[in-house]
Amino acid sequence: MKTVIDVSKWERYDLFRHYEEDTNPFVILTTPLDITNAYNIAKETNSSMYATLGYLITKVVNKVDGFRYRKEDNEIVVYDHVNANFTENIHDGKIGFFTVKDDNSYKEFVDCFESKRNNLFEVKKNDPSIIHYDEIWMSCVPWFEFNGVIPPFNKDNSIPQFIWDKFKKEDDKVTTHLMLLVHHGFIDGYGIGKFINLLQEELNNFKGDE
């Protein structure tokens, strides 16, 4: 469900217009994450770490308002809840996309992830032109590490994006770098910092389905 914002009463509207007029209205940054605990839980439960990290990111996104605002059909809207859209290599260098709803338990989320991904491999086609605004976009590049990355983006598309790199293992610690892209008209450094801190807490305290 979404709510259309009355911009005449929206305190952030002038700030939104200011950034919206820029050539690039987005904040794009990369931050390190300690994923050791969540990584171990995923291994113990034989669960995909791609799905696990996506599950935790989506859970935290739904706790921070700015990540659920969108510019949609010339209106500003806020969604009550958003879901996870994953990118996957499917066939001969082609990529596909599938959505997993965030109103499930961890196990249900992972099971749905695996089912949708397997179906994507079988279908071997996907239409990237269909945009669902009640989503966030996620991908991973497990083949290399990065300290920063700028993904393709459309100025008129305010959907947040998240990409993480190859996991780095040192002794008993596992880390990754997370890139996030968000519209600066909807969220600033405080909100981004809140998201990063909450995500690290979720990673540290994650216990799977208990």
Side-chain angles (χ1 to χ4, degrees), residues 85-141:
N85 182 281
F86 292 91
T87 304
E88 182 65 66
N89 288 308
I90 54 173
H91 180 64
D92 294 336
K94 296 179 182 178
I95 60 174
F97 312 92
F98 61 95
T99 300
V100 180
K101 292 189 176 182
D102 186 50
D103 53 0
N104 297 317
S105 68
Y106 170 57
K107 184 181 185 305
E108 290 171 334
F109 187 96
V110 172
D111 288 347
C112 182
F113 171 94
E114 295 293 357
S115 175
K116 292 282 188 76
R117 183 167 67 169
N118 291 337
N119 182 66
L120 196 64
F121 290 147
E122 294 172 3
V123 174
K124 294 188 173 73
K125 64 180 179 179
N126 201 251
D127 186 354
S129 66
I130 300 175
I131 296 176
H132 301 280
Y133 289 93
D134 60 339
E135 296 179 341
I136 55 173
W137 291 352
M138 286 184 284
S139 184
C140 64
V141 286

Side-chain angles (χ1 to χ4, degrees), residues 10-170:
W10 187 36
E11 294 180 353
R12 198 175 174 88
Y13 185 55
D14 288 341
L15 197 57
F16 171 82
R17 289 177 56 197
H18 170 76
Y19 289 114
E20 181 67 5
E21 291 171 359
D22 288 344
T23 301
N24 172 25
F26 299 99
V27 174
I28 305 169
L29 62 85
T30 300
T31 188
L33 293 174
D34 183 341
I35 61 171
T36 308
N37 175 61
Y39 180 86
N40 290 335
I41 294 291
K43 285 189 66 176
E44 290 170 6
T45 57
N46 196 30
S47 302
S48 163
M49 190 57 195
Y50 191 11
T52 300
L53 195 47
Y55 170 78
L56 293 171
I57 288 173
T58 310
K59 183 177 180 180
V60 175
V61 159
N62 279 303
K63 295 180 179 180
V64 184
D65 289 348
F67 285 89
R68 292 182 283 104
Y69 277 75
R70 303 286 187 271
K71 182 181 71 172
E72 183 178 342
D73 298 329
N74 295 316
E75 293 180 322
I76 305 300
V77 304
V78 58
Y79 282 90
D80 295 343
H81 197 88
V82 296
N83 298 304
N85 182 281
F86 292 91
T87 304
E88 182 65 66
N89 288 308
I90 54 173
H91 180 64
D92 294 336
K94 296 179 182 178
I95 60 174
F97 312 92
F98 61 95
T99 300
V100 180
K101 292 189 176 182
D102 186 50
D103 53 0
N104 297 317
S105 68
Y106 170 57
K107 184 181 185 305
E108 290 171 334
F109 187 96
V110 172
D111 288 347
C112 182
F113 171 94
E114 295 293 357
S115 175
K116 292 282 188 76
R117 183 167 67 169
N118 291 337
N119 182 66
L120 196 64
F121 290 147
E122 294 172 3
V123 174
K124 294 188 173 73
K125 64 180 179 179
N126 201 251
D127 186 354
S129 66
I130 300 175
I131 296 176
H132 301 280
Y133 289 93
D134 60 339
E135 296 179 341
I136 55 173
W137 291 352
M138 286 184 284
S139 184
C140 64
V141 286
W143 311 282
F144 57 87
E145 296 178 27
F146 60 71
N147 291 319
V149 63
I150 299 176
F153 61 85
N154 185 321
K155 183 178 182 296
D156 295 323
N157 185 346
S158 55
I159 296 175
Q161 297 187 46
F162 302 86
I163 304 173
W164 53 94
D165 67 350
K166 181 179 180 180
F167 298 157
K168 185 175 182 179
K169 302 175 184 177
E170 289 186 345

